[in-house]
Amino acid sequence: MYGFEAMTFNIHGGYLEAIVRGHRSGLLTAADYNNLCQCETLDDIKMHLSATEYGPYLQNEPSPLHTTTIVEKCTLKLVDEYKHMLCQATEPMSTFLEYITYGHMIDNVVLIVTGTLHERDVQELLEKCHPLGMFDSIATLAVAQNMRELYRLVLVDTPLAPYFSECITSEDLDDMNIEIMRNTLYKAYLEDFYRFCQKLGGATAEIMSDLLAFEADRRAVNITINSIGTELTREDRRKLYSSFGLLYPYGHEELAICEDIDQVRGVMEKYPPYQPIFSKLSYGESQMLDKAFYEEEVKRLCLSFEQQFHYGVFFAYMRLREQEIRNLMWISECVAQNQKSRVHDSVVFIF
Amino acid sequence: MGEGGSPSTMDLMRSEPMQLARIIIPMESSHRTISYLGDLGLFQFKDLNTGKSPFQRTFAAQIKRCGEMARKLRFFRDQMMKAGLFVSSWPSYGSEIGLDELEGKLGELEAELVEMNANTEKLQCAYNELLEYKLVLQKAGEFFHHAQSNATSQQREYGDRLLEGSMDSPLLLEQEMTTDISKQVKLGFVSGLVPRDKSVAFERILFRATRGNVFLKQDVVQQAVCDPVLGDKVEKNVFVVFYSGERAKNKVLKICDAFGANRYPFTDDIGKRHQMITEVSGKLSELKTTIDVGVLHWSTVVQSIANQYDQWNSLVKKEKSIYHTLNTLSFDVTKKCLVAEGWCPVFATSQIQKVLQKATVDSNSQVGAILEILHSKESPPTYFRTNKFTSAFQEIVDAYGVAKYREANPGLYTIVTFPFLFAVMFGDWGHGICLFLATLFLIIREKKYSSQKLGDIMEMAFGGRYVIIMMSIFSIYTGFIYNEFFSMPFELFGRSAYDCRDPSCEDATTIGMIKVRDTYPFGVDPIWHGTRSELPFLNSLKMKMSILLGVAQMNLGIILSYYNAKFFKNDINIWYQFVPQMIFLNSLFGYLSLLIIVKWCTGSQADLYHILIYMFLSPMDDLGDNQLFWGQKYLQILLLLSALVAVPWMLIPKPLLLKKQHEERHQGQTYAPLHGLDENIENERDYESHGGHEEFEFSEVLVHQLIHTIEFVLGSVSNTASYLRLWALSLAHSELSSVFYEKVLVLSWGFNSVVILIIGIIVFVFATVGVLLVMETLSAFLHALRLHWVEFQNKFYEGDGYKFDPFSFALVAEEDD
């Protein structure tokens, strides 16, 4: 029923959309960031944040603060908001909201598996996991020795199970194939999410396909850049690209054969939406690419709030908050290590 | 309220005159000065550092300290909650304590508590571990016991079967048995506790990881167990896992870790097991006493904190607010003084000066703080000195909009008109008495209730207790007028004026009754009750009364606009707004009111609708039967003409005059002012530059005036009609109460059965309380509110001021968490 969301959307989604838009107005503004960037100590940051929505989460922290505490508490707020929304949601919105967390689940799985590979303590690893991507049996991941076991023991019970079909091998786990697993999973996840949004139809499909296409393209570029100079073959690299997005399929063919960053740039500059991102970078530079992509993403996410009656706002809100937490982490890290000159390097203003 | 304030009786007519003051405070006495001003609570500080973010301000460090102390206090409160002590129930006593001292003390106490908590936690952890161990020993012991008895019985059975004949037993069984026996030696096992909600997943993962080569036995532990790691009560299962081989063991151990299952060593030897159980029990009782002693110590410490918690809390809050205020002050050029700016009422000047002196003396400062009065173009805040009676009424007005500075305050009139209009809709002296008694209860226990926290709804009723008691008193009064008591008529003020023509009273409903006595002295004659013509009579009475009340209140509103114009010296508003408005309203609806009164006094049967409608349609026609007094026709023509004149009078001159005024002022600006006194010149300049800044757009003013005129002309009709809600609601109220009385109480009485009567009374009481006393009160309240906000206040009230918000410790203490 494209175009008729306005008639029925509010029956189930109205309350939550109001909630999420309310949450959005609590995002830190450029003025907040300016003030935060001027902070001298972490206590100053806490003091400033106590005037924002993060106040109640930080107020009971004893004074010698650490960056991790700040980030942890801010994430806790996001998780609380997410759980509240999930509790209130009905189908299909609840499935949509769950889809948002799968990305974190993949990251957590990879984190634990790599961690155990390097013989780290499981408890320590669990603390590092993103709380949105937790599932019951996550701690048991440490038991698995290879992909097949990983799947058979643990992941078969999780929502990630269907994404695993492509990467079940009996090889022992090592850094390389864990990374390949992460990307294969992510590819399958994005494609699945994309299909799900298409199935929902209407404004949700329209907006989410745009956002997810951007995500897929960004991943494609990152995979290409990261795999330059590794033993990953072109064919394998080609397999990791998601089968949608602006670059699909011709861009992918070209990306698959790139040998250095400037070739990637050449490929990407053929696509008008990505031209401004690359035009900001000088040749041979890949450090600032992340920030440029983040900025573009934030811009797109903010735009999704311009339209009403779709689920994209939930995705956008979660992503924006995560970006905000990344910003806070960077600022606090800079403040804590007395590197204030670098504060602006990685902070992406949301408004 | 203040001893220095002039005892003016007209406090509520207009808001207090305010002044902008600047206080220059020497650094050394600044803290004390602010603290004293906070005690006084009559100075509103302006933020002079709006450009600075909170942590860049001068006293950010102190605020951080206070925040840290507040955090410690919150920690203490959590501890007190844990100990089951209530915060507010402890009276605060003990000597005054300084902030630095308190900070040290809080730090010590926190460290002590944290250490104690850590110790008890450690002990508790050990205790819980032992407790779990004991459980495992007992439960797992049972498994083994069962298993052994089963095994022996099976063996016996098996032996029997062998004797009976091997034909029906499977051939492989023997082989299986033998391998079993040979492997039994290598079987290892792990026992422990796993949280119950994870037990299924635990079993599943174990099965998958070892490809089914384990044997798991679980048993439910009845009561929840304290988890040694988390410290919470968790429901758990005891499990024993049997496995074979080293690799399986590693896997099982890893899975146990992953599921947070605590493992405990265990033997299958019964003797050893019993010995271990007694050992563990002994250790448990030992630990228990240690923990008890620790907890006792902890609770005494928490108790001592609880005794002083309130005092400390309020001290910290106060200090924090003082530093927040200090942060709004700016530094003097010399950096030795702080400069505060803010608003204070004029009457408080001497009080503030006294306080400043006192602060100087108390802090042994050599230089006193200086108070200067500034002149400003800014509009000052609005401040009414209210007491506990008037504040609720003022709140009603403020909820619509805070009065402009020195504007006529409708709050004063609201005190009488609000309860009265409410009572017109709620007229029943029985209900009034119920309401009165309920509110009286609140007022009598005022002291007790004001100190404690009430629920949302209760808080609302308590806050408006004086409004409600006034409403109930007025309802009793109007109830007497309507002669309503739960819809029963009473002959309170003498006997009814009417009587039947003959003793049998047969023709009372057909021909009617005759008047035998003087008119019933007060209110409605009770004989009307229950007659066929009761409704038409009451409707006519209440409708006319509503119009009279409405016209009176609207006239009051317009008259207040006159006083406003006079006060602000705005002649244009008097002559081109107030006068035509008065003429317009009174020539139409004032005349209608006059007709009503004349009709009541003369007992004429003239049709007022007819008169009023034909006054417009054909003013020249003869009135005929409807003539009430001599010369009515000419009066009507005169009134109609004056109403017609009043409309352009309202519309046209004011914008033109404003334009002229503006042009004159504009011209005058080119000339330099020639005045003797310096201050005068300054004032004048302020005034003129103020005038000059205003943009004057003639078309805008004209449109504005057009809207105003249309609104007033149409409004005078619709507002008058709006007052008919008084009649409608009072009708609804009396009809509802008569339904409850007749259809419930009287009906149940008729059955002559005690049970039905009791049920009837219960239904009647609940209906009366729920519908009439609660819902009707609310609806009549809302309608009275609307009549005040819309019909009354739109005649004069601007309501675009802002409230005086002084720095006061009394207010700081109130805003809780």
Side-chain angles (χ1 to χ4, degrees):
Chain A
M1 275 241 294
Y2 181 67
F4 289 94
E5 295 96 349
M7 286 173 73
T8 53
F9 183 87
N10 279 350
I11 300 170
H12 294 297
Y15 171 67
L16 281 175
E17 188 174 359
I19 292 267
V20 82
R21 281 175 189 275
H23 283 325
R24 172 186 171 261
S25 59
L27 288 170
L28 299 180
T29 58
D32 286 318
Y33 283 119
N34 277 337
N35 280 331
L36 283 173
C37 292
Q38 288 164 10
C39 288
E40 295 291 337
T41 62
L42 289 180
D43 277 332
D44 286 347
I45 290 184
K46 175 186 164 188
M47 192 165 162
H48 186 85
L49 287 179
S50 67
T52 66
E53 287 193 354
Y54 290 115
Y57 287 86
L58 283 171
Q59 67 173 0
N60 281 340
E61 288 311 306
S63 209
L65 275 173
H66 295 290
T67 318
T68 44
T69 334
I70 293 178
V71 174
E72 195 182 305
K73 291 293 162 185
C74 294
T75 315
L76 184 67
K77 174 177 150 46
L78 175 64
V79 173
D80 283 351
E81 284 167 358
Y82 173 78
K83 283 188 178 150
H84 176 77
M85 291 195 286
L86 190 63
C87 281
Q88 302 286 336
T90 51
E91 282 297 333
M93 197 200 288
S94 51
T95 314
F96 181 88
L97 287 176
E98 277 165 5
Y99 263 108
I100 296 176
T101 62
Y102 294 168
H104 293 293
M105 255 182 220
I106 296 172
D107 287 343
N108 284 352
V109 168
V110 172
L111 180 76
I112 299 265
V113 173
T114 358
T116 38
L117 205 64
H118 296 285
E119 318 228 313
R120 298 276 199 80
D121 183 37
V122 181
Q123 279 311 322
E124 191 187 313
L125 289 170
L126 281 180
E127 276 166 25
K128 279 189 187 165
C129 285
H130 197 286
L132 277 182
M134 288 302 233
F135 47 91
D136 273 346
S137 44
I138 190 163
T140 12
L141 285 171
V143 183
Q145 296 294 324
N146 57 33
M147 295 280 184
R148 192 178 296 278
E149 268 189 3
L150 200 63
Y151 174 70
R152 216 170 43 81
L153 278 185
V154 191
L155 294 175
V156 72
D157 289 337
T158 65
L160 298 183
Y163 308 150
F164 238 83
S165 55
E166 275 188 47
C167 55
I168 299 176
T169 53
S170 310
E171 290 173 55
D172 274 357
L173 292 166
D174 59 42
D175 279 340
M176 183 71 178
N177 61 25
I178 288 174
E179 203 50 41
I180 291 175
M181 174 185 86
R182 182 215 291 271
N183 285 309
T184 326
L185 283 179
Y186 225 100
K187 172 198 167 174
Y189 156 62
L190 282 179
E191 283 169 2
D192 189 31
F193 197 6
Y194 184 77
R195 272 195 302 278
F196 176 73
C197 292
Q198 292 301 322
K199 208 174 74 198
L200 288 177
T204 307
E206 185 191 1
I207 283 164
M208 284 307 293
S209 62
D210 187 39
L211 293 176
L212 288 175
F214 178 76
E215 178 80 20
D217 291 346
R218 180 172 67 175
R219 288 198 76 83
V221 172
N222 281 338
I223 288 168
T224 314
I225 292 176
N226 291 335
S227 65
I228 290 173
T230 59
E231 65 227 46
L232 197 72
T233 63
R234 287 176 180 178
E235 210 34 56
D236 285 344
R237 194 197 280 178
R238 173 78 191 76
K239 267 190 210 155
L240 296 178
Y241 300 149
S242 308
S243 61
F244 65 98
L246 213 56
L247 299 177
Y248 178 79
Y250 304 112
H252 287 172
E253 300 296 340
E254 291 183 55
L255 275 182
I257 54 169
C258 286
E259 292 297 342
D260 60 40
I261 176 96
D262 286 334
Q263 283 178 10
V264 176
R265 188 192 179 107
V267 175
M268 294 303 284
E269 278 183 342
K270 288 179 195 159
Y271 291 86
Y274 300 120
Q275 253 171 9
I277 295 178
F278 281 86
S279 65
K280 273 185 234 160
L281 306 174
S282 52
Y283 276 89
E285 188 186 23
S286 62
Q287 294 295 315
M288 296 299 282
L289 188 63
D290 269 345
K291 196 193 173 191
F293 267 123
Y294 276 137
E295 273 171 358
E296 176 69 15
E297 187 190 9
V298 162
K299 209 166 80 192
R300 284 166 185 245
L301 292 173
C302 284
L303 279 179
S304 73
F305 278 93
E306 299 294 314
Q307 203 165 332
Q308 225 186 324
F309 309 125
H310 64 94
Y311 295 156
V313 283
F314 298 97
F315 179 79
Y317 172 70
M318 299 297 288
R319 282 298 168 93
L320 286 175
R321 267 280 183 224
E322 279 162 25
Q323 181 61 43
E324 182 175 293
I325 291 167
R326 271 198 295 274
N327 288 344
L328 283 176
M329 180 158 74
W330 179 261
I331 294 174
S332 336
E333 214 45 82
C334 287
V335 168
Q337 296 177 9
N338 254 332
Q339 299 246 319
K340 279 182 62 184
S341 52
R342 298 193 56 203
V343 156
H344 286 282
D345 283 1
S346 156
V347 172
V348 181
F349 290 155
I350 292 177
F351 294 116
Chain B
M1 185 156 175
E3 71 266 47
S6 56
S8 159
T9 47
M10 288 308 195
D11 274 348
L12 279 178
M13 277 291 251
R14 293 182 190 284
S15 63
E16 290 294 330
M18 305 295 273
Q19 60 196 6
L20 185 64
R22 176 186 290 156
I23 309 179
I24 300 168
I25 313 164
M27 263 311 246
E28 64 268 23
S29 65
S30 59
H31 183 270
R32 200 178 288 267
T33 309
I34 301 295
S35 150
Y36 284 176
L37 281 175
D39 282 329
L40 183 66
L42 283 172
F43 198 88
Q44 175 181 351
F45 288 91
K46 267 169 89 174
D47 192 352
L48 301 177
N49 302 326
T50 36
K52 286 187 186 169
S53 54
F55 52 84
Q56 287 172 326
R57 299 190 175 201
T58 327
F59 296 94
Q62 277 87 339
I63 287 184
K64 240 182 266 172
R65 261 174 64 198
C66 291
E68 186 63 22
M69 280 156 77
R71 186 193 60 76
K72 281 173 189 158
L73 284 170
R74 277 195 298 274
F75 170 68
F76 292 154
R77 201 176 53 187
D78 284 348
Q79 296 291 315
M80 278 148 65
M81 296 287 220
K82 241 188 208 169
L85 298 171
F86 287 106
V87 179
S88 56
S89 59
W90 296 95
S92 58
Y93 52 84
S95 55
E96 279 289 311
I97 183 167
L99 192 66
D100 300 322
E101 206 181 323
L102 180 62
E103 192 178 19
K105 204 164 179 180
L106 289 183
E108 269 171 39
L109 280 171
E110 196 202 11
E112 193 180 344
L113 272 182
V114 165
E115 199 191 327
M116 257 192 249
N117 282 345
N119 282 341
T120 24
E121 212 166 274
K122 232 187 268 166
L123 286 174
Q124 199 73 42
C125 180
Y127 180 75
N128 288 338
E129 240 170 46
L130 281 176
L131 211 61
E132 287 197 342
Y133 189 20
K134 195 175 159 189
L135 273 172
V136 169
L137 284 175
Q138 285 168 349
K139 290 274 179 188
E142 278 170 34
F143 294 157
F144 278 83
H145 188 69
H146 276 294
Q148 265 167 1
S149 55
N150 273 355
T152 46
S153 66
Q154 255 177 19
Q155 229 154 24
R156 206 180 303 134
E157 214 173 287
Y158 177 66
D160 290 350
R161 277 206 208 133
L162 267 187
L163 286 177
E164 274 169 26
S166 56
M167 288 308 284
D168 52 345
S169 63
L171 285 169
L172 278 172
L173 194 66
E174 197 173 352
Q175 212 175 348
E176 216 172 57
M177 280 298 290
T178 51
T179 51
D180 229 9
I181 288 161
S182 64
K183 265 196 180 165
Q184 209 162 19
V185 193
K186 290 177 204 160
L187 268 185
F189 62 86
V190 170
S191 58
L193 283 156
V194 66
R196 193 169 303 160
D197 49 345
K198 285 188 188 167
S199 63
V200 178
F202 179 63
E203 189 167 354
R204 196 163 54 219
I205 297 279
L206 269 178
F207 183 84
R208 284 192 201 138
T210 56
R211 296 168 190 265
N213 289 326
V214 287
F215 177 71
L216 175 78
K217 184 106 178 119
Q218 294 198 55
D219 194 20
V220 175
V221 178
Q222 291 307 327
Q223 68 275 43
V225 186
C226 271
D227 191 87
V229 184
L230 302 171
D232 306 334
K233 288 252 175 198
V234 186
E235 301 216 302
K236 286 194 167 183
N237 281 1
V238 172
F239 68 86
V240 183
V241 188
F242 297 90
Y243 54 82
S244 62
E246 201 55 31
R247 276 188 70 180
K249 181 182 175 185
N250 278 337
K251 273 185 184 168
V252 169
L253 292 186
K254 263 187 184 171
I255 291 170
C256 284
D257 281 346
F259 275 92
N262 304 316
R263 286 173 283 116
Y264 297 97
F266 183 76
T267 53
D268 46 359
D269 180 10
I270 299 178
K272 250 188 193 167
R273 205 154 63 216
H274 279 299
Q275 194 190 336
M276 272 159 101
I277 287 180
T278 47
E279 219 171 87
V280 167
S281 307
K283 270 188 197 162
L284 271 178
S285 62
E286 243 171 64
L287 267 176
K288 181 86 189 146
T289 47
T290 328
I291 289 172
D292 281 348
V293 170
V295 166
L296 198 70
H297 185 196
W298 173 80
S299 62
T300 51
V301 171
V302 172
Q303 176 74 63
S304 71
I305 291 172
N307 287 342
Q308 281 172 306
Y309 177 81
D310 258 0
Q311 194 196 349
W312 292 346
N313 198 21
S314 65
L315 180 72
V316 168
K317 267 188 187 167
K318 253 188 194 178
E319 289 292 327
K320 199 172 174 188
S321 67
I322 288 174
Y323 285 119
H324 264 302
T325 312
L326 280 171
N327 265 342
T328 63
L329 310 190
S330 68
F331 269 109
D332 194 30
V333 232
T334 56
K335 293 262 174 193
K336 278 178 188 154
C337 294
L338 286 166
V339 180
E341 263 181 43
W343 297 101
C344 62
V346 171
F347 72 83
T349 319
S350 61
Q351 278 168 281
I352 290 173
Q353 250 150 2
K354 223 183 280 170
V355 159
L356 292 181
Q357 269 168 14
K358 189 160 164 256
T360 316
V361 173
D362 286 358
S363 54
N364 290 325
S365 170
Q366 285 165 339
V367 201
I370 305 161
L371 177 81
E372 349 173 70
I373 310 299
L374 306 174
H375 296 284
S376 160
K377 294 175 291 185
E378 250 181 281
S379 109
T382 309
Y383 174 46
F384 294 107
R385 275 196 278 176
T386 53
N387 52 30
K388 63 182 177 183
F389 178 76
T390 51
S391 63
F393 291 98
Q394 192 61 48
E395 283 296 315
I396 289 177
V397 173
D398 285 350
Y400 176 78
V402 177
K404 201 168 79 176
Y405 178 61
R406 302 288 279 153
E407 183 182 23
N409 177 23
L412 180 68
Y413 311 97
T414 305
I415 295 174
V416 176
T417 54
F418 186 84
F420 182 67
L421 288 190
F422 170 86
V424 170
M425 294 179 265
F426 197 75
D428 187 315
W429 58 278
H431 295 153
I433 286 172
C434 294
L435 210 56
F436 181 78
L437 292 177
T439 327
L440 201 62
F441 175 75
L442 283 183
I443 290 178
I444 288 169
R445 311 189 65 177
E446 191 174 69
K447 281 227 173 77
K448 186 169 165 245
Y449 282 146
S450 57
S451 60
Q452 73 191 54
K453 268 217 150 90
L454 305 161
D456 261 352
I457 291 174
M458 196 59 187
E459 190 114 35
M460 221 152 55
F462 182 72
R465 61 196 182 279
Y466 287 104
V467 181
I468 301 176
I469 205 149
M470 287 293 277
M471 294 186 329
S472 66
I473 291 169
F474 277 97
S475 314
I476 295 170
Y477 169 72
T478 49
F480 282 135
I481 290 181
Y482 295 159
N483 211 335
E484 295 256 15
F485 176 87
F486 297 108
S487 138
M488 286 175 253
F490 275 87
E491 295 192 335
L492 280 177
F493 303 99
R495 299 198 53 208
S496 169
Y498 298 90
D499 219 335
C500 299
R501 284 165 202 273
D502 53 70
S504 65
C505 232
E506 276 169 345
D507 47 3
T509 50
T510 49
I511 303 171
M513 298 191 287
I514 47 164
K515 192 171 178 183
V516 290
R517 279 173 226 100
D518 279 343
T519 316
Y520 190 69
F522 185 85
V524 175
D525 196 321
I527 201 87
W528 283 102
H529 187 84
T531 58
R532 257 195 318 170
S533 50
E534 183 198 10
L535 264 186
F537 172 71
L538 283 179
N539 282 350
S540 142
L541 170 76
K542 286 176 179 173
M543 208 189 310
K544 283 171 183 151
M545 198 179 65
S546 307
I547 288 178
L548 287 184
L549 292 174
V551 171
Q553 201 184 20
M554 286 191 291
N555 268 315
L556 174 66
I558 300 176
I559 289 169
L560 285 178
S561 82
Y562 164 73
Y563 282 107
N564 264 344
K566 206 177 142 198
F567 185 83
F568 293 114
K569 301 206 171 47
N570 193 341
D571 281 344
I572 294 178
N573 273 1
I574 297 179
W575 288 109
Y576 304 102
Q577 197 148 317
F578 163 70
V579 173
Q581 281 184 354
M582 275 308 260
I583 292 173
F584 185 82
L585 182 71
N586 286 313
S587 62
L588 302 181
F589 296 101
Y591 175 60
L592 176 63
S593 310
L594 179 78
L595 289 180
I596 289 169
I597 292 168
V598 170
K599 188 179 170 182
W600 274 349
C601 293
T602 58
S604 151
Q605 301 207 323
D607 185 356
L608 297 186
Y609 297 119
H610 195 271
I611 295 177
L612 209 66
I613 290 168
Y614 281 90
M615 176 174 160
F616 289 96
L617 295 182
S618 49
M620 307 309 273
D621 281 6
D622 228 19
L623 285 159
D625 285 345
N626 289 327
Q627 178 147 356
L628 279 164
F629 49 87
W630 179 84
Q632 193 180 356
K633 185 178 150 190
Y634 302 103
L635 178 68
Q636 282 185 9
I637 293 169
L638 181 69
L639 287 176
L640 194 62
L641 285 178
S642 53
L644 286 178
V645 169
V647 177
W649 188 354
M650 264 183 265
L651 175 63
I652 298 163
K654 193 183 165 188
L656 293 175
L657 284 168
L658 281 177
K659 193 184 176 201
K660 201 175 142 208
Q661 217 173 43
H662 173 76
E663 276 163 3
E664 272 169 14
R665 201 180 286 159
H666 203 69
Q667 275 179 344
Q669 247 180 3
T670 51
Y671 298 102
L674 284 168
H675 286 289
L677 283 166
D678 281 10
E679 205 176 305
N680 245 353
I681 292 173
E682 229 177 276
N683 276 351
E684 209 84 341
R685 248 186 220 141
D686 273 2
Y687 181 68
E688 264 175 11
S689 60
H690 183 59
H693 283 306
E694 264 178 25
E695 289 278 321
F696 188 85
E697 190 80 47
F698 181 69
S699 60
E700 213 167 273
V701 175
L702 191 69
V703 168
H704 191 236
Q705 189 63 21
L706 187 71
I707 292 170
H708 256 282
T709 310
I710 293 173
E711 197 194 322
F712 182 81
V713 171
L714 296 183
S716 62
V717 181
S718 66
N719 290 353
T720 312
S722 183
Y723 275 95
L724 289 178
R725 75 184 67 233
L726 293 174
W727 155 55
L729 262 95
S730 118
L731 175 72
H733 185 85
S734 67
E735 285 303 305
L736 264 178
S737 72
S738 83
V739 165
F740 289 141
Y741 174 68
E742 274 164 26
K743 299 291 172 208
V744 178
L745 206 58
V746 176
L747 203 69
S748 64
W749 185 265
F751 279 99
N752 273 330
S753 149
V754 181
V755 180
I756 292 178
L757 187 65
I758 288 171
I759 293 172
I761 287 173
I762 290 171
V763 172
F764 175 73
V765 167
F766 274 96
T768 304
V769 171
V771 177
L772 292 173
L773 288 180
V774 176
M775 273 161 51
E776 276 280 290
T777 308
L778 273 179
S779 89
F781 186 95
L782 287 180
H783 282 282
L785 203 62
R786 184 227 143 91
L787 286 178
H788 278 84
W789 282 354
V790 180
E791 274 75 26
F792 175 50
Q793 291 183 6
N794 77 358
K795 300 283 182 294
F796 67 99
Y797 191 55
E798 306 231 358
D800 56 354
Y802 63 102
K803 239 184 183 167
F804 179 54
D805 178 25
F807 171 61
S808 155
F809 289 143
L811 296 176
V812 168
E814 269 173 33
E815 47 183 69
D816 209 12
D817 305 304

